[in-house]
mmCIF file with all atom_site columns, all heavy atoms in Angstrom:
data_model
loop_
_atom_site.group_PDB
_atom_site.id
_atom_site.type_symbol
_atom_site.label_atom_id
_atom_site.label_alt_id
_atom_site.label_comp_id
_atom_site.label_asym_id
_atom_site.label_entity_id
_atom_site.label_seq_id
_atom_site.pdbx_PDB_ins_code
_atom_site.Cartn_x
_atom_site.Cartn_y
_atom_site.Cartn_z
_atom_site.occupancy
_atom_site.B_iso_or_equiv
_atom_site.pdbx_formal_charge
_atom_site.auth_seq_id
_atom_site.auth_comp_id
_atom_site.auth_asym_id
_atom_site.auth_atom_id
_atom_site.pdbx_PDB_model_num
ATOM 1   N N   . LYS I 1 1  ? 200.325 105.745 -14.235 1.00 0.00 ? 29 LYS I N   1
ATOM 2   C CA  . LYS I 1 1  ? 200.786 104.303 -14.386 1.00 0.00 ? 29 LYS I CA  1
ATOM 3   C C   . LYS I 1 1  ? 200.178 103.532 -13.263 1.00 0.00 ? 29 LYS I C   1
ATOM 4   O O   . LYS I 1 1  ? 199.909 104.110 -12.158 1.00 0.00 ? 29 LYS I O   1
ATOM 5   C CB  . LYS I 1 1  ? 202.405 104.339 -14.288 1.00 0.00 ? 29 LYS I CB  1
ATOM 6   C CG  . LYS I 1 1  ? 203.068 105.235 -15.308 1.00 0.00 ? 29 LYS I CG  1
ATOM 7   C CD  . LYS I 1 1  ? 204.584 105.225 -15.066 1.00 0.00 ? 29 LYS I CD  1
ATOM 8   C CE  . LYS I 1 1  ? 205.364 106.023 -16.087 1.00 0.00 ? 29 LYS I CE  1
ATOM 9   N NZ  . LYS I 1 1  ? 206.757 106.082 -15.889 1.00 0.00 ? 29 LYS I NZ  1
ATOM 10  N N   . PRO I 1 2  ? 200.238 102.233 -13.402 1.00 0.00 ? 30 PRO I N   1
ATOM 11  C CA  . PRO I 1 2  ? 199.686 101.300 -12.236 1.00 0.00 ? 30 PRO I CA  1
ATOM 12  C C   . PRO I 1 2  ? 200.480 101.612 -10.941 1.00 0.00 ? 30 PRO I C   1
ATOM 13  O O   . PRO I 1 2  ? 199.861 101.584 -9.886  1.00 0.00 ? 30 PRO I O   1
ATOM 14  C CB  . PRO I 1 2  ? 199.918 99.903  -12.828 1.00 0.00 ? 30 PRO I CB  1
ATOM 15  C CG  . PRO I 1 2  ? 199.783 100.110 -14.258 1.00 0.00 ? 30 PRO I CG  1
ATOM 16  C CD  . PRO I 1 2  ? 200.424 101.466 -14.591 1.00 0.00 ? 30 PRO I CD  1
ATOM 17  N N   . GLU I 1 3  ? 201.796 101.938 -11.076 1.00 0.00 ? 31 GLU I N   1
ATOM 18  C CA  . GLU I 1 3  ? 202.469 102.184 -9.846  1.00 0.00 ? 31 GLU I CA  1
ATOM 19  C C   . GLU I 1 3  ? 202.200 103.475 -9.121  1.00 0.00 ? 31 GLU I C   1
ATOM 20  O O   . GLU I 1 3  ? 202.664 103.711 -8.031  1.00 0.00 ? 31 GLU I O   1
ATOM 21  C CB  . GLU I 1 3  ? 203.997 102.182 -10.173 1.00 0.00 ? 31 GLU I CB  1
ATOM 22  C CG  . GLU I 1 3  ? 204.490 102.995 -11.358 1.00 0.00 ? 31 GLU I CG  1
ATOM 23  C CD  . GLU I 1 3  ? 204.747 102.210 -12.538 1.00 0.00 ? 31 GLU I CD  1
ATOM 24  O OE1 . GLU I 1 3  ? 203.744 101.431 -12.945 1.00 0.00 ? 31 GLU I OE1 1
ATOM 25  O OE2 . GLU I 1 3  ? 205.606 102.356 -13.310 1.00 0.00 ? 31 GLU I OE2 1
ATOM 26  N N   . ASP I 1 4  ? 201.405 104.231 -9.721  1.00 0.00 ? 32 ASP I N   1
ATOM 27  C CA  . ASP I 1 4  ? 200.802 105.512 -9.133  1.00 0.00 ? 32 ASP I CA  1
ATOM 28  C C   . ASP I 1 4  ? 199.665 105.211 -8.197  1.00 0.00 ? 32 ASP I C   1
ATOM 29  O O   . ASP I 1 4  ? 199.191 106.109 -7.435  1.00 0.00 ? 32 ASP I O   1
ATOM 30  C CB  . ASP I 1 4  ? 200.438 106.522 -10.159 1.00 0.00 ? 32 ASP I CB  1
ATOM 31  C CG  . ASP I 1 4  ? 201.540 107.005 -10.997 1.00 0.00 ? 32 ASP I CG  1
ATOM 32  O OD1 . ASP I 1 4  ? 202.639 107.321 -10.429 1.00 0.00 ? 32 ASP I OD1 1
ATOM 33  O OD2 . ASP I 1 4  ? 201.308 107.194 -12.203 1.00 0.00 ? 32 ASP I OD2 1
ATOM 34  N N   . THR I 1 5  ? 199.175 103.950 -8.181  1.00 0.00 ? 33 THR I N   1
ATOM 35  C CA  . THR I 1 5  ? 198.093 103.674 -7.338  1.00 0.00 ? 33 THR I CA  1
ATOM 36  C C   . THR I 1 5  ? 198.512 103.758 -5.844  1.00 0.00 ? 33 THR I C   1
ATOM 37  O O   . THR I 1 5  ? 199.531 103.180 -5.361  1.00 0.00 ? 33 THR I O   1
ATOM 38  C CB  . THR I 1 5  ? 197.651 102.095 -7.614  1.00 0.00 ? 33 THR I CB  1
ATOM 39  O OG1 . THR I 1 5  ? 197.212 102.042 -8.867  1.00 0.00 ? 33 THR I OG1 1
ATOM 40  C CG2 . THR I 1 5  ? 196.602 101.735 -6.677  1.00 0.00 ? 33 THR I CG2 1
ATOM 41  N N   . ALA I 1 6  ? 197.803 104.605 -5.127  1.00 0.00 ? 34 ALA I N   1
ATOM 42  C CA  . ALA I 1 6  ? 198.064 104.850 -3.738  1.00 0.00 ? 34 ALA I CA  1
ATOM 43  C C   . ALA I 1 6  ? 196.929 105.718 -3.103  1.00 0.00 ? 34 ALA I C   1
ATOM 44  O O   . ALA I 1 6  ? 196.079 106.237 -3.868  1.00 0.00 ? 34 ALA I O   1
ATOM 45  C CB  . ALA I 1 6  ? 199.340 105.624 -3.658  1.00 0.00 ? 34 ALA I CB  1
ATOM 46  N N   . VAL I 1 7  ? 196.936 106.002 -1.851  1.00 0.00 ? 35 VAL I N   1
ATOM 47  C CA  . VAL I 1 7  ? 196.075 106.862 -1.204  1.00 0.00 ? 35 VAL I CA  1
ATOM 48  C C   . VAL I 1 7  ? 197.006 108.216 -1.166  1.00 0.00 ? 35 VAL I C   1
ATOM 49  O O   . VAL I 1 7  ? 198.059 108.200 -0.810  1.00 0.00 ? 35 VAL I O   1
ATOM 50  C CB  . VAL I 1 7  ? 195.744 106.448 0.160   1.00 0.00 ? 35 VAL I CB  1
ATOM 51  C CG1 . VAL I 1 7  ? 194.984 107.658 0.897   1.00 0.00 ? 35 VAL I CG1 1
ATOM 52  C CG2 . VAL I 1 7  ? 194.904 105.234 0.172   1.00 0.00 ? 35 VAL I CG2 1
ATOM 53  N N   . TYR I 1 8  ? 196.418 109.245 -1.710  1.00 0.00 ? 36 TYR I N   1
ATOM 54  C CA  . TYR I 1 8  ? 197.030 110.495 -1.883  1.00 0.00 ? 36 TYR I CA  1
ATOM 55  C C   . TYR I 1 8  ? 196.573 111.422 -0.781  1.00 0.00 ? 36 TYR I C   1
ATOM 56  O O   . TYR I 1 8  ? 195.385 111.646 -0.472  1.00 0.00 ? 36 TYR I O   1
ATOM 57  C CB  . TYR I 1 8  ? 196.737 111.204 -3.257  1.00 0.00 ? 36 TYR I CB  1
ATOM 58  C CG  . TYR I 1 8  ? 197.635 110.444 -4.318  1.00 0.00 ? 36 TYR I CG  1
ATOM 59  C CD1 . TYR I 1 8  ? 197.292 109.220 -4.815  1.00 0.00 ? 36 TYR I CD1 1
ATOM 60  C CD2 . TYR I 1 8  ? 198.752 111.189 -4.831  1.00 0.00 ? 36 TYR I CD2 1
ATOM 61  C CE1 . TYR I 1 8  ? 198.181 108.549 -5.720  1.00 0.00 ? 36 TYR I CE1 1
ATOM 62  C CE2 . TYR I 1 8  ? 199.490 110.504 -5.851  1.00 0.00 ? 36 TYR I CE2 1
ATOM 63  C CZ  . TYR I 1 8  ? 199.107 109.269 -6.277  1.00 0.00 ? 36 TYR I CZ  1
ATOM 64  O OH  . TYR I 1 8  ? 199.990 108.624 -7.322  1.00 0.00 ? 36 TYR I OH  1
ATOM 65  N N   . TYR I 1 9  ? 197.544 112.080 -0.080  1.00 0.00 ? 37 TYR I N   1
ATOM 66  C CA  . TYR I 1 9  ? 197.328 112.988 1.143   1.00 0.00 ? 37 TYR I CA  1
ATOM 67  C C   . TYR I 1 9  ? 197.851 114.367 0.838   1.00 0.00 ? 37 TYR I C   1
ATOM 68  O O   . TYR I 1 9  ? 198.962 114.580 0.301   1.00 0.00 ? 37 TYR I O   1
ATOM 69  C CB  . TYR I 1 9  ? 197.946 112.366 2.396   1.00 0.00 ? 37 TYR I CB  1
ATOM 70  C CG  . TYR I 1 9  ? 197.584 111.120 2.850   1.00 0.00 ? 37 TYR I CG  1
ATOM 71  C CD1 . TYR I 1 9  ? 198.254 109.887 2.387   1.00 0.00 ? 37 TYR I CD1 1
ATOM 72  C CD2 . TYR I 1 9  ? 196.450 110.988 3.698   1.00 0.00 ? 37 TYR I CD2 1
ATOM 73  C CE1 . TYR I 1 9  ? 197.694 108.615 2.784   1.00 0.00 ? 37 TYR I CE1 1
ATOM 74  C CE2 . TYR I 1 9  ? 196.004 109.703 4.096   1.00 0.00 ? 37 TYR I CE2 1
ATOM 75  C CZ  . TYR I 1 9  ? 196.661 108.602 3.694   1.00 0.00 ? 37 TYR I CZ  1
ATOM 76  O OH  . TYR I 1 9  ? 196.250 107.300 4.026   1.00 0.00 ? 37 TYR I OH  1
ATOM 77  N N   . CYS I 1 10 ? 196.954 115.303 1.154   1.00 0.00 ? 38 CYS I N   1
ATOM 78  C CA  . CYS I 1 10 ? 197.344 116.714 1.126   1.00 0.00 ? 38 CYS I CA  1
ATOM 79  C C   . CYS I 1 10 ? 198.059 117.173 2.498   1.00 0.00 ? 38 CYS I C   1
ATOM 80  O O   . CYS I 1 10 ? 197.680 116.640 3.500   1.00 0.00 ? 38 CYS I O   1
ATOM 81  C CB  . CYS I 1 10 ? 196.116 117.655 0.900   1.00 0.00 ? 38 CYS I CB  1
ATOM 82  S SG  . CYS I 1 10 ? 196.393 119.329 0.753   1.00 0.00 ? 38 CYS I SG  1
ATOM 83  N N   . ASN I 1 11 ? 199.155 117.949 2.443   1.00 0.00 ? 39 ASN I N   1
ATOM 84  C CA  . ASN I 1 11 ? 199.889 118.242 3.619   1.00 0.00 ? 39 ASN I CA  1
ATOM 85  C C   . ASN I 1 11 ? 200.146 119.805 3.552   1.00 0.00 ? 39 ASN I C   1
ATOM 86  O O   . ASN I 1 11 ? 200.469 120.400 2.519   1.00 0.00 ? 39 ASN I O   1
ATOM 87  C CB  . ASN I 1 11 ? 201.221 117.528 3.631   1.00 0.00 ? 39 ASN I CB  1
ATOM 88  C CG  . ASN I 1 11 ? 202.032 118.027 4.693   1.00 0.00 ? 39 ASN I CG  1
ATOM 89  O OD1 . ASN I 1 11 ? 203.053 118.868 4.382   1.00 0.00 ? 39 ASN I OD1 1
ATOM 90  N ND2 . ASN I 1 11 ? 201.878 117.707 5.891   1.00 0.00 ? 39 ASN I ND2 1
ATOM 91  N N   . ALA I 1 12 ? 200.070 120.419 4.752   1.00 0.00 ? 40 ALA I N   1
ATOM 92  C CA  . ALA I 1 12 ? 200.452 121.757 4.961   1.00 0.00 ? 40 ALA I CA  1
ATOM 93  C C   . ALA I 1 12 ? 201.439 121.889 6.055   1.00 0.00 ? 40 ALA I C   1
ATOM 94  O O   . ALA I 1 12 ? 201.230 121.461 7.087   1.00 0.00 ? 40 ALA I O   1
ATOM 95  C CB  . ALA I 1 12 ? 199.221 122.571 5.254   1.00 0.00 ? 40 ALA I CB  1
ATOM 96  N N   . ARG I 1 13 ? 202.585 122.530 5.743   1.00 0.00 ? 41 ARG I N   1
ATOM 97  C CA  . ARG I 1 13 ? 203.692 122.578 6.749   1.00 0.00 ? 41 ARG I CA  1
ATOM 98  C C   . ARG I 1 13 ? 203.965 124.171 6.929   1.00 0.00 ? 41 ARG I C   1
ATOM 99  O O   . ARG I 1 13 ? 204.190 124.926 5.964   1.00 0.00 ? 41 ARG I O   1
ATOM 100 C CB  . ARG I 1 13 ? 204.985 121.912 6.302   1.00 0.00 ? 41 ARG I CB  1
ATOM 101 C CG  . ARG I 1 13 ? 206.144 122.072 7.371   1.00 0.00 ? 41 ARG I CG  1
ATOM 102 C CD  . ARG I 1 13 ? 207.231 121.118 6.893   1.00 0.00 ? 41 ARG I CD  1
ATOM 103 N NE  . ARG I 1 13 ? 208.051 121.660 5.713   1.00 0.00 ? 41 ARG I NE  1
ATOM 104 C CZ  . ARG I 1 13 ? 207.903 121.195 4.495   1.00 0.00 ? 41 ARG I CZ  1
ATOM 105 N NH1 . ARG I 1 13 ? 207.150 120.075 4.221   1.00 0.00 ? 41 ARG I NH1 1
ATOM 106 N NH2 . ARG I 1 13 ? 208.555 121.656 3.537   1.00 0.00 ? 41 ARG I NH2 1
ATOM 107 N N   . HIS I 1 14 ? 203.910 124.529 8.141   1.00 0.00 ? 42 HIS I N   1
ATOM 108 C CA  . HIS I 1 14 ? 203.987 125.994 8.489   1.00 0.00 ? 42 HIS I CA  1
ATOM 109 C C   . HIS I 1 14 ? 205.452 126.385 8.174   1.00 0.00 ? 42 HIS I C   1
ATOM 110 O O   . HIS I 1 14 ? 206.364 125.819 8.568   1.00 0.00 ? 42 HIS I O   1
ATOM 111 C CB  . HIS I 1 14 ? 203.678 126.253 9.957   1.00 0.00 ? 42 HIS I CB  1
ATOM 112 C CG  . HIS I 1 14 ? 203.342 127.763 10.268  1.00 0.00 ? 42 HIS I CG  1
ATOM 113 N ND1 . HIS I 1 14 ? 204.364 128.676 10.365  1.00 0.00 ? 42 HIS I ND1 1
ATOM 114 C CD2 . HIS I 1 14 ? 202.145 128.320 10.530  1.00 0.00 ? 42 HIS I CD2 1
ATOM 115 C CE1 . HIS I 1 14 ? 203.764 129.861 10.651  1.00 0.00 ? 42 HIS I CE1 1
ATOM 116 N NE2 . HIS I 1 14 ? 202.450 129.641 10.755  1.00 0.00 ? 42 HIS I NE2 1
ATOM 117 N N   . ARG I 1 15 ? 205.556 127.547 7.539   1.00 0.00 ? 43 ARG I N   1
ATOM 118 C CA  . ARG I 1 15 ? 206.946 128.037 7.107   1.00 0.00 ? 43 ARG I CA  1
ATOM 119 C C   . ARG I 1 15 ? 207.702 128.518 8.274   1.00 0.00 ? 43 ARG I C   1
ATOM 120 O O   . ARG I 1 15 ? 209.015 128.503 8.294   1.00 0.00 ? 43 ARG I O   1
ATOM 121 C CB  . ARG I 1 15 ? 206.746 129.064 6.011   1.00 0.00 ? 43 ARG I CB  1
ATOM 122 C CG  . ARG I 1 15 ? 206.117 128.516 4.710   1.00 0.00 ? 43 ARG I CG  1
ATOM 123 C CD  . ARG I 1 15 ? 206.354 129.449 3.581   1.00 0.00 ? 43 ARG I CD  1
ATOM 124 N NE  . ARG I 1 15 ? 207.825 129.461 3.243   1.00 0.00 ? 43 ARG I NE  1
ATOM 125 C CZ  . ARG I 1 15 ? 208.373 130.214 2.304   1.00 0.00 ? 43 ARG I CZ  1
ATOM 126 N NH1 . ARG I 1 15 ? 207.603 131.009 1.519   1.00 0.00 ? 43 ARG I NH1 1
ATOM 127 N NH2 . ARG I 1 15 ? 209.718 130.155 2.087   1.00 0.00 ? 43 ARG I NH2 1
ATOM 128 N N   . ALA I 1 16 ? 207.070 129.180 9.258   1.00 0.00 ? 44 ALA I N   1
ATOM 129 C CA  . ALA I 1 16 ? 207.797 129.738 10.504  1.00 0.00 ? 44 ALA I CA  1
ATOM 130 C C   . ALA I 1 16 ? 207.994 128.688 11.557  1.00 0.00 ? 44 ALA I C   1
ATOM 131 O O   . ALA I 1 16 ? 208.905 128.734 12.374  1.00 0.00 ? 44 ALA I O   1
ATOM 132 C CB  . ALA I 1 16 ? 207.087 130.979 10.954  1.00 0.00 ? 44 ALA I CB  1
ATOM 133 N N   . PHE I 1 17 ? 207.032 127.880 11.705  1.00 0.00 ? 45 PHE I N   1
ATOM 134 C CA  . PHE I 1 17 ? 206.960 126.756 12.781  1.00 0.00 ? 45 PHE I CA  1
ATOM 135 C C   . PHE I 1 17 ? 206.795 125.509 12.149  1.00 0.00 ? 45 PHE I C   1
ATOM 136 O O   . PHE I 1 17 ? 205.732 124.949 11.980  1.00 0.00 ? 45 PHE I O   1
ATOM 137 C CB  . PHE I 1 17 ? 205.860 127.031 13.805  1.00 0.00 ? 45 PHE I CB  1
ATOM 138 C CG  . PHE I 1 17 ? 205.936 128.344 14.431  1.00 0.00 ? 45 PHE I CG  1
ATOM 139 C CD1 . PHE I 1 17 ? 205.164 129.441 13.971  1.00 0.00 ? 45 PHE I CD1 1
ATOM 140 C CD2 . PHE I 1 17 ? 206.676 128.588 15.603  1.00 0.00 ? 45 PHE I CD2 1
ATOM 141 C CE1 . PHE I 1 17 ? 205.264 130.732 14.568  1.00 0.00 ? 45 PHE I CE1 1
ATOM 142 C CE2 . PHE I 1 17 ? 206.839 129.846 16.159  1.00 0.00 ? 45 PHE I CE2 1
ATOM 143 C CZ  . PHE I 1 17 ? 206.136 130.912 15.651  1.00 0.00 ? 45 PHE I CZ  1
ATOM 144 N N   . THR I 1 18 ? 207.865 124.955 11.618  1.00 0.00 ? 46 THR I N   1
ATOM 145 C CA  . THR I 1 18 ? 207.926 123.807 10.783  1.00 0.00 ? 46 THR I CA  1
ATOM 146 C C   . THR I 1 18 ? 207.447 122.487 11.441  1.00 0.00 ? 46 THR I C   1
ATOM 147 O O   . THR I 1 18 ? 207.108 121.544 10.642  1.00 0.00 ? 46 THR I O   1
ATOM 148 C CB  . THR I 1 18 ? 209.346 123.546 10.151  1.00 0.00 ? 46 THR I CB  1
ATOM 149 O OG1 . THR I 1 18 ? 210.294 123.403 11.247  1.00 0.00 ? 46 THR I OG1 1
ATOM 150 C CG2 . THR I 1 18 ? 209.744 124.808 9.235   1.00 0.00 ? 46 THR I CG2 1
ATOM 151 N N   . SER I 1 19 ? 207.364 122.498 12.770  1.00 0.00 ? 47 SER I N   1
ATOM 152 C CA  . SER I 1 19 ? 206.793 121.371 13.386  1.00 0.00 ? 47 SER I CA  1
ATOM 153 C C   . SER I 1 19 ? 205.294 121.232 13.199  1.00 0.00 ? 47 SER I C   1
ATOM 154 O O   . SER I 1 19 ? 204.694 120.201 13.554  1.00 0.00 ? 47 SER I O   1
ATOM 155 C CB  . SER I 1 19 ? 207.201 121.311 14.880  1.00 0.00 ? 47 SER I CB  1
ATOM 156 O OG  . SER I 1 19 ? 206.609 122.374 15.573  1.00 0.00 ? 47 SER I OG  1
ATOM 157 N N   . ILE I 1 20 ? 204.686 122.372 12.821  1.00 0.00 ? 48 ILE I N   1
ATOM 158 C CA  . ILE I 1 20 ? 203.180 122.323 12.638  1.00 0.00 ? 48 ILE I CA  1
ATOM 159 C C   . ILE I 1 20 ? 202.916 121.791 11.354  1.00 0.00 ? 48 ILE I C   1
ATOM 160 O O   . ILE I 1 20 ? 203.211 122.472 10.232  1.00 0.00 ? 48 ILE I O   1
ATOM 161 C CB  . ILE I 1 20 ? 202.715 123.709 12.819  1.00 0.00 ? 48 ILE I CB  1
ATOM 162 C CG1 . ILE I 1 20 ? 202.951 124.265 14.235  1.00 0.00 ? 48 ILE I CG1 1
ATOM 163 C CG2 . ILE I 1 20 ? 201.202 123.796 12.486  1.00 0.00 ? 48 ILE I CG2 1
ATOM 164 C CD1 . ILE I 1 20 ? 202.497 125.722 14.447  1.00 0.00 ? 48 ILE I CD1 1
ATOM 165 N N   . ASN I 1 21 ? 202.245 120.551 11.179  1.00 0.00 ? 49 ASN I N   1
ATOM 166 C CA  . ASN I 1 21 ? 201.892 119.997 10.049  1.00 0.00 ? 49 ASN I CA  1
ATOM 167 C C   . ASN I 1 21 ? 200.472 119.556 10.104  1.00 0.00 ? 49 ASN I C   1
ATOM 168 O O   . ASN I 1 21 ? 199.838 119.127 11.100  1.00 0.00 ? 49 ASN I O   1
ATOM 169 C CB  . ASN I 1 21 ? 202.604 118.681 9.834   1.00 0.00 ? 49 ASN I CB  1
ATOM 170 C CG  . ASN I 1 21 ? 203.994 118.990 9.145   1.00 0.00 ? 49 ASN I CG  1
ATOM 171 O OD1 . ASN I 1 21 ? 204.089 119.060 7.938   1.00 0.00 ? 49 ASN I OD1 1
ATOM 172 N ND2 . ASN I 1 21 ? 205.030 119.160 9.981   1.00 0.00 ? 49 ASN I ND2 1
ATOM 173 N N   . TYR I 1 22 ? 199.746 119.675 8.934   1.00 0.00 ? 50 TYR I N   1
ATOM 174 C CA  . TYR I 1 22 ? 198.297 119.265 8.916   1.00 0.00 ? 50 TYR I CA  1
ATOM 175 C C   . TYR I 1 22 ? 198.227 118.367 7.627   1.00 0.00 ? 50 TYR I C   1
ATOM 176 O O   . TYR I 1 22 ? 198.831 118.591 6.729   1.00 0.00 ? 50 TYR I O   1
ATOM 177 C CB  . TYR I 1 22 ? 197.401 120.500 8.706   1.00 0.00 ? 50 TYR I CB  1
ATOM 178 C CG  . TYR I 1 22 ? 197.454 121.584 9.802   1.00 0.00 ? 50 TYR I CG  1
ATOM 179 C CD1 . TYR I 1 22 ? 198.037 122.803 9.584   1.00 0.00 ? 50 TYR I CD1 1
ATOM 180 C CD2 . TYR I 1 22 ? 196.834 121.264 11.028  1.00 0.00 ? 50 TYR I CD2 1
ATOM 181 C CE1 . TYR I 1 22 ? 198.117 123.631 10.674  1.00 0.00 ? 50 TYR I CE1 1
ATOM 182 C CE2 . TYR I 1 22 ? 197.063 122.208 12.088  1.00 0.00 ? 50 TYR I CE2 1
ATOM 183 C CZ  . TYR I 1 22 ? 197.546 123.434 11.900  1.00 0.00 ? 50 TYR I CZ  1
ATOM 184 O OH  . TYR I 1 22 ? 197.674 124.320 12.840  1.00 0.00 ? 50 TYR I OH  1
ATOM 185 N N   . TRP I 1 23 ? 197.298 117.395 7.869   1.00 0.00 ? 51 TRP I N   1
ATOM 186 C CA  . TRP I 1 23 ? 197.086 116.341 6.895   1.00 0.00 ? 51 TRP I CA  1
ATOM 187 C C   . TRP I 1 23 ? 195.682 116.183 6.526   1.00 0.00 ? 51 TRP I C   1
ATOM 188 O O   . TRP I 1 23 ? 194.708 116.356 7.471   1.00 0.00 ? 51 TRP I O   1
ATOM 189 C CB  . TRP I 1 23 ? 197.585 115.051 7.461   1.00 0.00 ? 51 TRP I CB  1
ATOM 190 C CG  . TRP I 1 23 ? 199.016 114.912 7.557   1.00 0.00 ? 51 TRP I CG  1
ATOM 191 C CD1 . TRP I 1 23 ? 199.809 115.236 8.725   1.00 0.00 ? 51 TRP I CD1 1
ATOM 192 C CD2 . TRP I 1 23 ? 200.015 114.550 6.537   1.00 0.00 ? 51 TRP I CD2 1
ATOM 193 N NE1 . TRP I 1 23 ? 201.142 114.958 8.430   1.00 0.00 ? 51 TRP I NE1 1
ATOM 194 C CE2 . TRP I 1 23 ? 201.291 114.535 7.143   1.00 0.00 ? 51 TRP I CE2 1
ATOM 195 C CE3 . TRP I 1 23 ? 199.921 114.100 5.286   1.00 0.00 ? 51 TRP I CE3 1
ATOM 196 C CZ2 . TRP I 1 23 ? 202.452 114.265 6.481   1.00 0.00 ? 51 TRP I CZ2 1
ATOM 197 C CZ3 . TRP I 1 23 ? 201.087 113.831 4.580   1.00 0.00 ? 51 TRP I CZ3 1
ATOM 198 C CH2 . TRP I 1 23 ? 202.339 113.901 5.148   1.00 0.00 ? 51 TRP I CH2 1
ATOM 199 N N   . GLY I 1 24 ? 195.313 115.954 5.345   1.00 0.00 ? 52 GLY I N   1
ATOM 200 C CA  . GLY I 1 24 ? 193.963 115.589 4.930   1.00 0.00 ? 52 GLY I CA  1
ATOM 201 C C   . GLY I 1 24 ? 193.828 114.153 5.138   1.00 0.00 ? 52 GLY I C   1
ATOM 202 O O   . GLY I 1 24 ? 194.599 113.351 5.655   1.00 0.00 ? 52 GLY I O   1
ATOM 203 N N   . GLN I 1 25 ? 192.594 113.691 4.844   1.00 0.00 ? 53 GLN I N   1
ATOM 204 C CA  . GLN I 1 25 ? 192.166 112.337 5.150   1.00 0.00 ? 53 GLN I CA  1
ATOM 205 C C   . GLN I 1 25 ? 192.555 111.375 4.118   1.00 0.00 ? 53 GLN I C   1
ATOM 206 O O   . GLN I 1 25 ? 192.472 110.117 4.352   1.00 0.00 ? 53 GLN I O   1
ATOM 207 C CB  . GLN I 1 25 ? 190.629 112.265 5.367   1.00 0.00 ? 53 GLN I CB  1
ATOM 208 C CG  . GLN I 1 25 ? 189.804 112.110 4.120   1.00 0.00 ? 53 GLN I CG  1
ATOM 209 C CD  . GLN I 1 25 ? 189.751 113.415 3.243   1.00 0.00 ? 53 GLN I CD  1
ATOM 210 O OE1 . GLN I 1 25 ? 190.097 114.505 3.742   1.00 0.00 ? 53 GLN I OE1 1
ATOM 211 N NE2 . GLN I 1 25 ? 189.336 113.320 1.986   1.00 0.00 ? 53 GLN I NE2 1
ATOM 212 N N   . GLY I 1 26 ? 192.993 111.807 2.942   1.00 0.00 ? 54 GLY I N   1
ATOM 213 C CA  . GLY I 1 26 ? 193.489 111.001 1.804   1.00 0.00 ? 54 GLY I CA  1
ATOM 214 C C   . GLY I 1 26 ? 192.326 110.721 0.837   1.00 0.00 ? 54 GLY I C   1
ATOM 215 O O   . GLY I 1 26 ? 191.100 110.708 1.192   1.00 0.00 ? 54 GLY I O   1
#
């Protein structure tokens, strides 16, 4: 749908250390 228009980012969140997050460039 048109409302799906956005920059989409991949994310990884560590399961044991949840403050560790990684992001793609979009």
Side-chain angles (χ1 to χ4, degrees):
K29 303 175 180 179
E31 52 262 45
D32 295 319
T33 296
V35 178
Y36 284 72
Y37 297 91
C38 182
N39 171 260
R41 183 172 70 253
H42 200 285
R43 297 198 66 185
F45 302 96
T46 57
S47 64
I48 299 176
N49 277 273
Y50 301 108
W51 293 91
Q53 83 289 347

